[in-house]
């Protein structure tokens, strides 16, 4: 399946067109909406004050409750824009954002309001597309789940069993250890009080992918396919599979995953490789951790450049922004992983 996201943060609507959705899928729109509700901000002070219902509408590709095989178009209306908050920084790019790069690429014609097409608001249609992908994957016995693994150095409990992730999806703060989750919340609120922001990481697992998918070659490597989808999520700055950077601290005798037979099938006793060897799935859960940068829009004064005059200036960013986007990014990472899993399966 291929998807294309359209719209801008302060435009009339955002949406996605998904091509290649198998015909005959009894699309559960309530489940799609549940995924969107996980991403949208609620009443929690750790999230942005922008309020959007994020109600999804299907424009095409579904007839009498089932997908037709034609392009599936879904739209989400924007309602709570404060575009005036951005007028003062129209020509002074915000550090850490896509403002300057986008200004150059668009030859100065980009929609600067709320980040335009570069905004994290565009992750809503990605979640909608991922929700469809999850329903397709269910027919293949594949499941995707994630949790906040850390925020500002505060780590969640280690993921010992991927089944534990199923309970996390229903939590307002998606962690395994609620005590650690409260510590994370306090770190976010402290940063917010100081007009700053914090980053963190999200650990995700994809279970049910059979062994033998992918290849070591460019464009076919399973880790490469997943990375391409994950790096398309705003604020993702790193992707580690399995033990990831911890491999640099190991010896081979520690890093290798011994094989054994369990219930009549070949498995590995550990999963340091994250379910991938030689660019090919080995039948174990594909596990990875993504690093999420701190929200670039902070209220503290920052240094920038006036693109009209070429002068160095100091800017103060107004508007409504998450002091930490990690909690709301969990369903976004799941969505990207679900779409990547479809690509690996050749759906």
């Amino acid at each position: 399946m291929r998807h294309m996201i359209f719209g801008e943060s302060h435009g009339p609507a955002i949406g996605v067109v998904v091509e290649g959705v198998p015909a005959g899928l009894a699309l559960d729109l309530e489940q799609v909406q549940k995924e969107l509700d996980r991403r949208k901000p609620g009443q929690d002070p750790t999230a942005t004050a922008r309020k959007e219902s994020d109600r999804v509408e299907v424009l095409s590709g579904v007839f009498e409750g089932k997908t037709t095989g034609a392009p599936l178009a879904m739209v989400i209306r924007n309602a709570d824009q404060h575009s005036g908050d951005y007028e003062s920084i129209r020509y002074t790019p915000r550090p850490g954002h896509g403002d300057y790069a986008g200004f150059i690429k668009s030859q100065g014609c980009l929609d600067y309001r709320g980040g335009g097409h570069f905004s994290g608001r565009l992750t809503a249609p990605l979640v909608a597309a991922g929700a469809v992908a999850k329903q397709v994957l269910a027919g293949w016995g594949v499941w995707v789940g994630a949790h906040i693994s850390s925020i500002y150095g505060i780590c969640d409990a280690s993921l010992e069993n991927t089944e534990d992730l199923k309970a996390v999806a229903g939590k307002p703060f998606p962690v395994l250890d609620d005590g650690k989750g409260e510590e994370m919340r306090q770190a976010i609120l402290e940063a917010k009080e100081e007009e700053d922001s914090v980053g963190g990481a999200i650990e995700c697992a994809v279970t049910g992918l059979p062994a033998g998918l992918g290849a070591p070659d460019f464009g076919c490597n399973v880790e490469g396919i997943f990375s391409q989808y994950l790096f398309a999520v705003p604020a993702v700055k790193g992707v580690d599979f399995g033990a990831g950077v911890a491999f640099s601290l190991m010896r081979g005798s520690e890093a290798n995953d011994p094989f054994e037979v369990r219930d009549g099938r070949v498995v590995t006793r550990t999963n340091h490789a994250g379910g991938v060897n030689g660019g090919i799935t080995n039948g174990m859960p594909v596990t990875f951790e993504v690093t999420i940068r701190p929200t670039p829009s902070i209220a503290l004064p920052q240094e920038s450049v006036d693109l009209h005059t070429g002068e160095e200036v100091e800017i103060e960013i107004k508007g409504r922004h998450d002091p930490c986007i990690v909690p709301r990014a969990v369903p976004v990472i799941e969505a990207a992983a679900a779409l990547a899993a479809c690509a690996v399966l050749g759906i």
Side-chain angles (χ1 to χ4, degrees):
M1 297 191 304
R2 296 185 304 172
H3 71 282
M4 178 177 288
I5 293 171
F6 63 86
E8 291 82 29
S9 178
H10 287 214
I14 53 178
V16 63
V17 176
V18 188
E19 293 183 317
V21 180
L25 174 69
L27 188 62
D28 186 344
L29 285 176
E30 288 187 9
Q31 190 56 44
V32 174
Q33 190 61 55
K34 284 182 180 179
E35 293 292 315
L36 284 164
D37 290 345
R38 291 175 63 201
R39 191 211 71 95
K40 75 177 184 180
Q43 303 303 314
D44 197 302
T46 61
T48 175
R50 180 170 178 172
K51 295 293 182 286
E52 296 282 0
S53 65
D54 282 355
R55 300 302 302 179
V56 64
E57 303 172 37
V58 173
L59 302 182
S60 68
V62 176
F63 182 68
E64 295 182 341
K66 293 185 177 181
T67 55
T68 64
L72 174 63
M74 295 179 286
V75 68
I76 299 166
R77 310 288 176 181
N78 288 328
D80 189 22
Q81 307 102 311
H82 290 182
S83 300
D85 292 340
Y86 298 89
E87 184 61 37
S88 63
I89 56 172
R90 180 171 186 170
Y91 297 109
T92 50
R94 297 165 296 174
H97 273 279
D99 295 352
Y100 176 68
F103 183 89
I104 298 300
K105 183 174 178 60
S106 69
Q107 300 181 53
C109 297
L110 82 166
D111 183 346
Y112 64 91
R113 303 167 302 168
H117 191 67
F118 297 88
S119 171
R121 175 91 183 113
L122 275 295
T123 59
L126 175 62
V127 169
V132 175
K134 284 184 176 183
Q135 293 183 42
V136 173
L137 291 172
W140 291 70
V142 177
W143 181 83
V144 182
H147 73 115
I148 301 170
S149 51
S150 69
I151 286 179
Y152 198 50
I154 302 165
C155 297
D156 192 15
S158 298
L159 180 63
E160 304 295 338
N161 188 337
T162 55
E163 289 292 312
D164 294 339
L165 292 176
K166 292 185 177 179
V168 171
K171 293 183 177 182
F173 204 86
V175 290
L176 298 167
D177 184 330
D178 293 334
K180 289 294 184 181
E182 185 55 33
E183 290 183 39
M184 295 177 192
R185 289 185 75 259
Q186 291 307 312
I188 296 172
L189 292 173
E190 182 177 331
K192 180 181 180 181
E193 181 68 24
E194 297 173 1
E195 300 185 324
D196 215 330
S197 63
V198 291
I202 295 169
E203 185 178 27
C204 184
V206 182
T207 65
L209 288 174
L213 300 173
D217 310 293
F218 176 80
C220 304
N221 183 291
V222 169
E223 290 153 319
I225 292 170
F226 270 89
S227 294
Q228 195 166 18
Y229 280 81
L230 293 164
F231 277 118
V233 176
V236 169
K237 301 303 289 183
V239 179
D240 282 346
F241 288 86
V245 295
F247 276 122
S248 65
L249 306 174
M250 297 179 178
R251 291 187 172 187
S253 55
E254 300 170 293
N256 293 342
D257 298 311
F259 289 102
E260 63 182 22
V261 176
R262 192 183 307 158
D263 298 326
R265 60 185 289 260
V266 176
V267 298
T268 59
R269 193 170 303 149
T270 55
N271 192 23
H272 296 136
V276 184
N277 293 122
I280 303 169
T281 56
N282 63 19
M284 297 298 288
V286 173
T287 62
F288 56 86
E289 184 176 60
V290 298
T291 300
I292 307 288
R293 62 159 297 147
T295 313
S297 287
I298 57 177
L300 292 172
Q302 298 184 80
E303 295 176 354
S304 185
V305 170
D306 187 314
L307 298 179
H308 271 173
T309 66
E311 296 178 346
E312 296 179 356
V313 295
E314 183 177 86
I315 64 170
E316 292 188 15
I317 300 171
K318 298 180 175 59
R320 301 156 299 169
H321 308 282
D322 296 83
C324 179
I325 63 173
V326 177
R328 294 176 58 209
V330 170
V332 180
I333 296 303
E334 290 181 14
L339 290 161
C342 286
V344 168
L345 284 164
I347 302 173

XYZ file of all heavy atoms in Angstrom, residues 165 253 307 319:
26
model
N 2.458 -4.938 25.825
C 2.136 -3.698 25.124
C 0.640 -3.552 24.845
O 0.159 -2.447 24.599
C 2.905 -3.623 23.802
C 4.424 -3.461 23.911
C 5.058 -3.509 22.530
C 4.786 -2.162 24.615
N 29.746 -12.786 22.171
C 29.093 -13.841 22.950
C 27.845 -13.324 23.664
O 26.939 -14.095 23.982
C 30.074 -14.409 23.981
O 30.595 -13.358 24.804
N 15.081 36.710 7.020
C 15.400 36.282 5.660
C 15.236 37.402 4.638
O 15.726 37.283 3.514
C 14.516 35.082 5.281
C 14.707 33.829 6.135
C 13.765 32.728 5.685
C 16.147 33.337 6.091
N 1.981 30.975 20.393
C 1.206 29.831 19.932
C 1.114 28.747 20.995
O 1.555 28.911 22.134
